[in-house]
Amino acid sequence: MRLATQCIHVAQPAEPVTGAVVPPIFQTSTFEQESPGVHRGFDYSRTNNPTRKRLESVLASLEGVDHAAVFASGLAAENAVLQAYLRPGDCILIPPDVYGGTFRLLNRVFAPIGCLVETIDFADQAALARASAKSPRIIWLETPTNPRLLIYDVAAVSRIAHAHGALLVVDNTFATPVFQRPFSLGADIVVHSVTKYLAGHSDLIQGAVLAREGAVFEPIKFLQNACGAVPAPFDCWLTLRGIKTLELRVRRHAENALAIAETLARHPSVARVYYPGLAQHPGHAVAARQMTGFGGIVSLELRGEVAQVREFASTRKYFALAESLGGVKSLICHPASMTHASIPRDERLRIGLPDTLVRLSPGLEDAEDLLEDLLTGLDTIEEQRTRERETTSCR
Ligand SMILES: Cc1ncc(COP(=O)(O)O)c(C=O)c1O
């Protein structure tokens, strides 16, 4: 079964009693038992729930593995992986511009209990090999990264990770299984912020962990129940609904992103466009090899003053100024004051996240409308810059 068909058919047969084509929501906390301890596979919804189980089956099938566990958020999913595999004294390697919340989780929760969090430029294979020689427990990869869309070679990092006995975890949120299959490139564990493209409508928070090996998955499944950060059945049902159109949606998101990246790269107020689908993007060749599409996010470094950049982000007609990404409605974000504000400014600048960077998550609107909206804002910045230049030259 191919991916677009999996999205609609896996674990979603018609309901047997009434024939309802869409499986119902099992909005229940508990299940009646025939006799003490004898039940039909479900006893309590924190432990297992039929709607959640359907969603886990679909996600596992999309990533091409047998094991998935969904959580109440992407960070709860990440936390389960880290709690399962990182002990005081263990080392984890991360790339510099990993998602801000992941950075905070590692540095504010796991580092204080004695875990060693080391930031390495994964594009520098020699540096990665040197750091790996210290036997890290986990190598954590996000590709494309948030927000600069850097691309890392998953297969190359997986060879280094496995040569040193580390687990390779890949955050596949940005690419989605439509464009990237990390397990086929050597990942041991894949995590998702389901909140984004998988659910796809900016109406819920959810996360997922997937694993190929039962033995790798077991501690995560245990923590899902033991710690209890599970999503509600209704949210699982909404995600099942969202996933039915996943393939169509992410292709359209990517078409809109490419149109925006190509057009804005020529605008004088845009210093730099980050989009792996552009030939000039440093990760373009690797992305073309390991992905089947370049994703839906575009980041822009603007030439104006920070105040102008903030004004640009605040006044778009179709791009709501909001955290998050991957929904049908376009969003714009100023990472320095929003998603990545938890990273100290010096550190942010060091890893290449200037205050003039904006991240766009083009939705499914008409590309022409989105472009008009962005160009209106950029032209305003350009006019202000021209006036400033004229005033300076008259002095
Ligand atoms: C790449 C990436 N991973 C993980 C997360 C965390 O997911 P959540 O917000 O669902 O907890 C995010 C959130 O923005 C993200 O962008």
Side-chain angles (χ1 to χ4, degrees), residues 26 28-31 43-50 52 230-231 233:
F26 285 84
T28 183
S29 60
T30 193
F31 300 81
D43 56 357
Y44 189 56
S45 278
R46 172 166 35 74
T47 314
N48 205 353
N49 172 281
R52 192 173 90 209
V230 290

Side-chain angles (χ1 to χ4, degrees), residues 192-269:
H192 277 281
S193 171
V194 174
T195 313
K196 310 297 175 348
Y197 290 105
L198 290 172
H201 293 72
S202 301
D203 52 10
L204 61 88
I205 299 283
Q206 209 170 77
V209 180
L210 298 105
R212 194 202 324 258
E213 304 289 334
V216 170
F217 181 66
E218 216 37 60
I220 289 155
K221 184 71 191 160
F222 170 79
L223 288 169
Q224 184 194 36
N225 180 47
C227 297
V230 290
F234 181 54
D235 284 2
C236 295
W237 186 87
L238 280 175
T239 303
L240 281 166
R241 181 184 167 111
I243 283 180
K244 291 192 175 81
T245 53
L246 176 72
E247 205 247 2
L248 273 176
R249 282 189 289 105
V250 296
R251 292 201 189 287
R252 173 67 176 263
H253 283 298
E255 279 167 28
N256 283 357
L258 179 63
I260 288 170
E262 282 177 338
T263 306
L264 300 196
R266 298 191 291 270
H267 196 281
S269 281

Side-chain angles (χ1 to χ4, degrees), residues 73-75 78 99 142 146 171 173-174 193 195-196 205-206:
S73 71
L75 279 177
E78 295 187 8
Y99 165 62
E142 200 184 299
N146 180 2
D171 184 332
T173 299
F174 271 41
S193 171
T195 313
K196 310 297 175 348
I205 299 283
Q206 209 170 77

Side-chain angles (χ1 to χ4, degrees), residues 91-276:
C91 171
I92 177 169
L93 304 183
I94 56 168
D97 67 345
V98 71
Y99 165 62
T102 307
F103 184 90
R104 179 180 54 207
L105 177 63
L106 285 166
N107 285 288
R108 303 276 298 277
V109 178
F110 284 88
I113 60 163
C115 301
L116 196 66
V117 182
E118 213 172 310
T119 305
I120 299 289
D121 178 3
F122 283 17
D124 181 346
Q125 296 276 307
L128 184 58
R130 269 196 310 280
S132 303
K134 293 184 220 156
S135 300
R137 183 72 185 101
I138 297 177
I139 296 187
W140 189 284
L141 198 62
E142 200 184 299
T143 182
T145 64
N146 180 2
R148 284 195 304 152
L149 290 316
L150 298 183
I151 299 292
Y152 296 115
D153 185 333
V154 180
V157 176
S158 122
R159 282 191 290 277
I160 294 176
H162 295 150
H164 295 91
L167 278 176
L168 177 63
V169 181
V170 177
D171 184 332
N172 204 26
T173 299
F174 271 41
T176 83
V178 177
F179 289 147
Q180 182 167 270
R181 306 291 291 272
F183 288 111
S184 70
L185 300 166
D188 299 296
I189 292 176
V190 166
V191 296
H192 277 281
S193 171
V194 174
T195 313
K196 310 297 175 348
Y197 290 105
L198 290 172
H201 293 72
S202 301
D203 52 10
L204 61 88
I205 299 283
Q206 209 170 77
V209 180
L210 298 105
R212 194 202 324 258
E213 304 289 334
V216 170
F217 181 66
E218 216 37 60
I220 289 155
K221 184 71 191 160
F222 170 79
L223 288 169
Q224 184 194 36
N225 180 47
C227 297
V230 290
F234 181 54
D235 284 2
C236 295
W237 186 87
L238 280 175
T239 303
L240 281 166
R241 181 184 167 111
I243 283 180
K244 291 192 175 81
T245 53
L246 176 72
E247 205 247 2
L248 273 176
R249 282 189 289 105
V250 296
R251 292 201 189 287
R252 173 67 176 263
H253 283 298
E255 279 167 28
N256 283 357
L258 179 63
I260 288 170
E262 282 177 338
T263 306
L264 300 196
R266 298 191 291 270
H267 196 281
S269 281
V270 175
R272 191 162 172 192
V273 173
Y274 297 88
Y275 185 65

